[in-house]
Amino acid sequence: PAQRIYLNRIERSSSEIRFEKGDYNAYGGGLLFAPLLKRYKFCETIKKIIDIKTLNGYSLEELCLTIFFMDIFGYNSIENYKTVYSEEFGVLIGKLNSPSVYTLRRFLKKVKELKSSEKLIEECGKLYLKEGLIKWRVGYADGHFYPYQGMHKIAMGWHTVRNKPMKGGENFILTDEEFNPFIFMIRPSTYDLLEILPELIIKAKKIAKELGYDENKLAVIFDREGYSAELFKQFDNKEDGASVIFITW
């Protein structure tokens, strides 16, 4: 849709197309992502899990593209998004205007109520492996604290960069050997890698098995945060769903 709106602004003649009627657009470079989003089924994958048809005149595809391009252009929060040029940003999603802050807040609230976020993460991981965006066999697991700037009261964790306690959560991620993300899990800051590693491994092996990969040919590398004799016993137990080859220090 975005490409159609842009092409409608190009002056046409019977014999040729002349690029003389285009508009200035601060976000025009975002259209370069259109083939990539189509090739790797960005919207189609989301539609499999998130069952929201329309909201305030915007389709699920248009709302998801808005959030995608928010990230591309550095609008890393809803508050930052207030400064967007609505008419110019709308071209990216095939609309005359981009959704308002109110519409995006309502959309994200509805997504939260579905409680399908982790299903979507698994579906995306399946897509990455199926399309060859990641490689199977070797995975790196780690956890990182991310600060929370909102008004809700949540548990505090230790921010290792700022070297002080802050409100926030933990992002646990499993990547392939080239550090391309495979799956991730968001948890309260009270969790650590030791607790989450088996769950990450089970999810990864489940996806691999569904796609016909040998689920037992996975080696996971992690640092001292996951160092535990009890955990190593679990990894060595072939009858355990989290059994895996592991490397740590």
Side-chain angles (χ1 to χ4, degrees):
Q3 298 97 302
R4 287 200 295 272
I5 281 189
Y6 181 75
L7 291 173
N8 285 341
R9 296 177 179 177
I10 297 175
E11 185 174 340
R12 297 173 180 271
S13 67
S14 57
S15 59
E16 62 179 350
I17 298 176
R18 293 177 295 170
F19 291 82
E20 298 177 355
K21 200 181 176 183
D23 290 338
Y24 172 81
N25 191 304
Y27 312 106
L31 293 174
L32 295 172
F33 285 93
L36 181 71
L37 292 169
K38 189 67 176 176
R39 167 67 179 82
Y40 292 109
K41 303 178 178 65
F42 173 75
C43 294
E44 291 87 342
T45 302
I46 294 173
K47 287 177 180 178
K48 290 180 182 179
I49 307 298
I50 305 300
D51 187 20
I52 298 174
K53 302 303 180 185
T54 59
L55 181 66
N56 290 6
Y58 292 90
S59 67
L60 175 62
E61 180 178 356
E62 291 161 354
L63 291 165
C64 290
L65 285 173
T66 298
I67 294 174
F68 173 83
F69 286 115
M70 278 176 62
D71 181 65
I72 292 296
F73 288 102
Y75 296 100
N76 53 12
S77 72
I78 297 294
E79 292 302 313
N80 287 345
Y81 178 72
K82 289 179 179 179
T83 63
V84 77
Y85 299 115
S86 181
E87 290 185 3
E88 295 185 18
F89 204 84
V91 170
L92 297 174
I93 64 170
K95 301 284 280 189
L96 294 178
N97 295 91
S98 58
S100 65
V101 168
Y102 172 75
T103 299
L104 281 184
R105 287 190 187 278
R106 283 193 62 200
F107 171 63
L108 292 174
K109 183 178 180 181
K110 285 183 175 292
V111 171
K112 176 186 174 183
E113 290 170 351
L114 292 174
K115 297 182 179 180
S116 300
S117 299
E118 293 205 358
K119 289 182 182 178
L120 180 59
I121 291 169
E122 289 183 33
E123 193 65 32
C124 288
K126 189 185 299 183
L127 173 69
Y128 301 155
L129 189 56
K130 182 179 179 181
E131 296 291 339
L133 295 173
I134 59 172
K135 297 178 180 178
W136 182 247
R137 291 293 296 274
V138 177
Y140 290 88
D142 203 358
H144 295 278
F145 177 82
Y146 68 94
Y148 170 70
Q149 309 293 344
M151 299 176 64
H152 293 286
K153 291 183 179 180
I154 65 172
M156 298 185 75
W158 188 259
H159 198 302
T160 55
V161 176
R162 299 184 182 181
N163 201 31
K164 66 177 183 179
M166 296 181 66
K167 289 194 301 183
E170 290 285 339
N171 181 12
F172 298 99
I173 187 168
L174 182 69
T175 72
D176 71 358
E177 61 186 30
E178 296 180 354
F179 306 108
N180 298 308
F182 184 9
I183 53 176
F184 67 93
M185 298 167 63
I186 305 296
R187 290 292 184 270
S189 58
T190 52
Y191 283 72
D192 57 34
L193 186 64
L194 194 64
E195 300 171 81
I196 297 299
L197 257 176
E199 194 173 350
L200 278 173
I201 291 167
I202 289 171
K203 286 179 180 291
K205 291 175 68 174
K206 175 188 171 186
I207 291 171
K209 186 176 181 180
E210 289 177 2
L211 295 177
Y213 288 86
D214 187 343
E215 59 178 314
N216 296 314
K217 290 186 177 180
L218 173 64
V220 176
I221 304 168
F222 51 91
D223 61 17
R224 62 182 180 274
E225 189 179 350
Y227 197 96
S228 163
E230 289 300 318
L231 184 62
F232 298 163
K233 288 179 183 178
Q234 184 178 357
F235 288 162
D236 280 335
N237 185 357
K238 300 299 182 183
E239 297 180 0
D240 194 297
S243 64
V244 72
I245 301 167
F246 64 92
I247 301 172
T248 188
W249 61 92

